[in-house]
């Protein structure tokens, strides 16, 4: 019931498609060309048009070279993407040097390459690009050609105002980069965690489908085994009873009949609605889920607190088996001596409460549990020394509980986390379903949580 992951949420495999970088640069080339033409030929401001257009043309040639050298679907590594974005910073810095430096209102476009890096590259590379932008902005504050303006008129900007522009640019760069990185990182973590959850569910579904595969095998093997049994029976009549060959044929006939009996029992597994592989009472399901966790020095007690006549019948849904099993595993990991699994049902709802006598949930993180990569095991990579995690390992990724929560919610369940009331100590996880999802003719039907009617 656990998911072993070898890696922590890292930035390995991050990349940017060439097509994305090329399209962004074409947009920059078009904008820069338009700005140069408007300032130089419409407003008639004094401007080194030739040098400016040369820098723009250089970007266009770089784009064409990348297009010819690589396919549009090519994904650049972090290093290559950093170099491409660093070129964009330097090219824009060159244009700003020719057009007034930091006084140019377009100087804030220096932030754009860093924003792209923040959403697609590891923090270290984004920090390097940010440092390059800060250096370029500092140099442009002191070294630049005059700002293009009306002929005979100059623009005198006081140094305190220039310092304010520099501070504003650096502050905006820092804030926007951190914000973009955080949003992109959360999306990446959620996507990765959901993918992992889908893989876990697929694995559990494959295991649950073994009964159907056994029934199919029994159906296919039934005919040849019947032929073997008939032929063996006919051969048995052709030899005297004291013939050694008759004994061998009798053994062959007996074993063929035995194989047919085994195949008949396998075939019933996938079709018998009352088979334990199809559905079972809730206390039996809890006994099956808790059985793998009973040999770790912690007592696990399963309690039923409902009217026997209303005892719910659950489908052996892989999502429920994995979800409840993972929560029980976490409880065993943190319990001191005892874990209680209590099933409570009524005519309206079915609840399962998993309680332990461990340290309980830390108040500062209980509201965040269930988010991907929010782990509460001591000594984890994020340094959060509080309860949670998965796989029975310290320093887990926090994916186990996220996957369990996601799968259970897909079956229509609602989870509640709390600490036990004093003087008791420990954590309590409550999983609750509406009773209608577990009526005798309605079984939880897969990860979407839709009810599927079956004939009893």
């Amino acid at each position: 019931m656990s998911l072993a992951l070898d890696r922590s949420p890292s930035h390995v495999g991050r990349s940017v498609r060439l097509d994305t970088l090329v399209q962004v640069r074409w947009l920059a080339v078009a904008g820069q060309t338009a700005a140069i033409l408007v300032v130089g030929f419409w407003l008639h401001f004094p401007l080194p048009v030739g040098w400016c257009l040369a820098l723009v043309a250089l970007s266009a040639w770089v784009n064409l070279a990348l297009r010819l050298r690589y396919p549009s679907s090519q994904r650049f590594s972090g290093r290559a993407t950093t170099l491409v974005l660093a070129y964009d910073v330097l090219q824009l810095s060159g244009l700003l040097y020719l057009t007034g430096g930091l006084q140019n209102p377009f100087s804030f476009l220096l932030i754009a390459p860093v924003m792209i890096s923040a959403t697609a590259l590891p923090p270290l590379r984004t920090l390097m690009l940010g440092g390059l932008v800060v250096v370029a902005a500092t140099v442009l504050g002191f070294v630049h050609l005059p700002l293009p303006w009306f002929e005979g008129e100059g623009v005198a900007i006081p140094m305190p105002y220039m310092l304010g522009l520099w501070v504003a640019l650096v502050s905006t760069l820092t804030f926007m980069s951190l914000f973009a990185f955080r949003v992109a990182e959360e999306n990446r973590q959620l996507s990765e965690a959901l993918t992992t959850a889908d893989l876990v569910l697929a694995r559990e579904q494959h295991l649950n489908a073994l009964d159907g595969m056994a029934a199919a095998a029994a159906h296919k093997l039934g005919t040849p085994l019947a032929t073997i049994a008939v032929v063996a029976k006919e051969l048995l009549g052709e030899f005297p009873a004291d013939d050694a060959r008759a004994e061998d044929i009798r053994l062959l006939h007996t074993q063929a009949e035995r194989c047919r009996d085994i195949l008949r029992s396998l075939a019933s597994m996938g079709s018998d609605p009352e088979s334990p592989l199809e559905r079972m009472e809730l206390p039996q399901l809890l006994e099956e889920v808790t059985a793998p966790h009973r040999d770790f020095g912690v007592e696990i007690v399963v309690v039923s607190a409902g009217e026997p006549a209303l005892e719910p019948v659950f489908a052996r849904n892989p999502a429920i088996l994995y979800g409840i099993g993972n929560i029980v595993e976490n409880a065993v990991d943190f319990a001191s001596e005892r874990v209680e699994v209590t099933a409570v049902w009524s005519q309206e709802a079915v609840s399962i409460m998993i309680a332990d006598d461990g340290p309980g949930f830390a108040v500062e993180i209980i509201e965040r549990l269930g988010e991907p990569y929010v782990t509460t095991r001591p000594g984890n990579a994020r340094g959060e020394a509080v309860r949670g995690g998965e796989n029975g390992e310290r320093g887990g990724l926090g994916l186990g509980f996220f996957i369990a929560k996601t799968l259970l919610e897909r079956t229509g369940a609602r989870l509640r986390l709390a600490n036990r009331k004093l003087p008791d100590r420990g954590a309590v996880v409550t999983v609750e379903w509406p009773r209608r999802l577990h009526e005798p003719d309605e079984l939880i039907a897969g990860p979407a949580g839709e009810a599927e009617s079956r004939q009893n």
Side-chain angles (χ1 to χ4, degrees), residues 103 144 146-147 149 153-162:
Q103 299 176 4
H144 56 81
L147 179 69
W149 201 246
E153 299 182 19
V155 179
I157 298 181
M159 183 53 66
Y161 187 81
M162 289 292 297

Side-chain angles (χ1 to χ4, degrees), residues 375-400:
T375 177
T376 57
R377 291 186 181 276
N380 63 76
R382 295 174 181 267
E384 295 167 345
V386 280
R387 173 198 163 92
E390 85 275 359
N391 302 334
E393 300 173 357
R394 301 299 175 180
L397 299 181
L399 273 180

Side-chain angles (χ1 to χ4, degrees), residues 247-328:
E247 183 65 25
D248 291 338
I249 295 174
R250 189 177 298 108
L251 177 62
L252 177 63
H253 180 267
T254 303
Q255 293 303 312
E257 287 296 331
R258 182 182 176 189
C259 288
R260 294 180 67 187
D261 292 339
I262 294 174
L263 290 179
R264 276 194 292 269
S265 64
L266 288 176
S268 66
M269 289 182 180
S271 57
D272 182 7
E274 299 302 325
S275 169
L277 290 176
E278 284 291 322
R279 55 193 292 183
M280 62 178 60
E281 288 78 10
L282 180 56
Q284 293 177 335
L285 183 141
L286 294 180
E287 289 290 347
E288 176 180 327
V289 168
T290 57
H293 310 291
R294 291 184 177 275
D295 298 326
F296 296 95
V298 175
E299 180 186 10
I300 301 179
V301 179
V302 178
V303 180
S304 298
E307 187 176 344
L310 297 176
E311 187 174 78
V313 177
F314 269 56
R316 295 186 72 256
N317 187 329
I320 295 178
L321 295 176
Y322 178 87
I324 298 298
N326 188 274
I327 296 174
V328 171

Side-chain angles (χ1 to χ4, degrees), residues 40-363:
F41 296 100
W42 185 27
L43 298 177
H44 302 289
F45 288 172
L47 180 73
V49 175
W51 285 105
C52 291
L53 291 178
L55 285 174
V56 175
L58 179 61
S59 286
W61 278 111
V62 169
N63 255 10
L64 291 175
L66 291 175
R67 278 292 195 188
L68 294 175
R69 177 66 178 82
Y70 303 102
S72 60
S73 59
Q74 175 76 31
R75 302 193 75 89
F76 279 180
S77 65
R79 180 175 179 273
T81 304
T82 303
L83 292 176
V84 171
L85 294 175
Y87 162 78
D88 291 331
V89 172
L90 295 176
Q91 188 264 357
L92 182 55
S93 299
L95 285 176
L96 291 173
Y97 166 78
L98 296 171
T99 56
L102 206 59
Q103 299 176 4
N104 192 319
F106 289 101
S107 60
F108 274 79
L109 288 176
L110 287 170
I111 297 174
V114 185
M115 290 290 293
I116 296 174
S117 175
T119 59
L121 298 180
L124 179 59
R125 298 194 179 276
T126 302
L127 186 61
M128 293 168 59
L129 283 173
L132 179 61
V133 169
V134 171
V135 171
T138 304
V139 173
L140 289 171
F142 298 95
V143 182
H144 56 81
L145 296 182
L147 179 69
W149 201 246
F150 294 103
E151 192 72 30
E153 299 182 19
V155 179
I157 298 181
M159 183 53 66
Y161 187 81
M162 289 292 297
L163 179 61
L165 287 176
W166 184 89
V167 172
L169 188 146
V170 174
S171 300
T172 304
L173 172 69
T174 304
F175 172 79
M176 295 299 292
S177 298
L178 289 175
F179 179 78
F181 170 78
R182 187 58 190 166
V183 171
E185 183 69 9
E186 288 180 356
N187 288 335
R188 274 190 291 266
Q189 291 178 353
L190 182 60
S191 177
E192 183 178 344
L194 288 174
T195 299
T196 306
D198 288 338
L199 290 175
V200 169
L201 181 58
R203 183 185 67 183
E204 297 295 330
Q205 287 174 331
H206 289 161
L207 293 175
N208 206 42
L210 287 178
D211 59 326
M213 296 171 62
H219 177 72
K220 294 291 185 181
L221 293 174
T223 300
L225 277 175
T227 303
I228 293 172
V230 171
V231 173
K233 186 175 182 181
E234 292 178 353
L235 289 175
L236 190 60
E238 297 181 5
F239 296 95
D242 57 349
D243 194 319
R245 291 174 294 179
E247 183 65 25
D248 291 338
I249 295 174
R250 189 177 298 108
L251 177 62
L252 177 63
H253 180 267
T254 303
Q255 293 303 312
E257 287 296 331
R258 182 182 176 189
C259 288
R260 294 180 67 187
D261 292 339
I262 294 174
L263 290 179
R264 276 194 292 269
S265 64
L266 288 176
S268 66
M269 289 182 180
S271 57
D272 182 7
E274 299 302 325
S275 169
L277 290 176
E278 284 291 322
R279 55 193 292 183
M280 62 178 60
E281 288 78 10
L282 180 56
Q284 293 177 335
L285 183 141
L286 294 180
E287 289 290 347
E288 176 180 327
V289 168
T290 57
H293 310 291
R294 291 184 177 275
D295 298 326
F296 296 95
V298 175
E299 180 186 10
I300 301 179
V301 179
V302 178
V303 180
S304 298
E307 187 176 344
L310 297 176
E311 187 174 78
V313 177
F314 269 56
R316 295 186 72 256
N317 187 329
I320 295 178
L321 295 176
Y322 178 87
I324 298 298
N326 188 274
I327 296 174
V328 171
E329 180 182 5
N330 274 340
V332 170
D333 287 345
F334 287 92
S336 298
E337 299 177 354
R338 179 184 175 95
V339 171
E340 296 180 4
V341 182
T342 305
V344 181
W345 59 82
S346 64
Q347 292 184 347
E348 292 78 24
V350 179
S351 299
I352 299 174
M353 291 177 288
I354 298 98
D356 61 66
D357 58 354
F361 294 115
V363 177

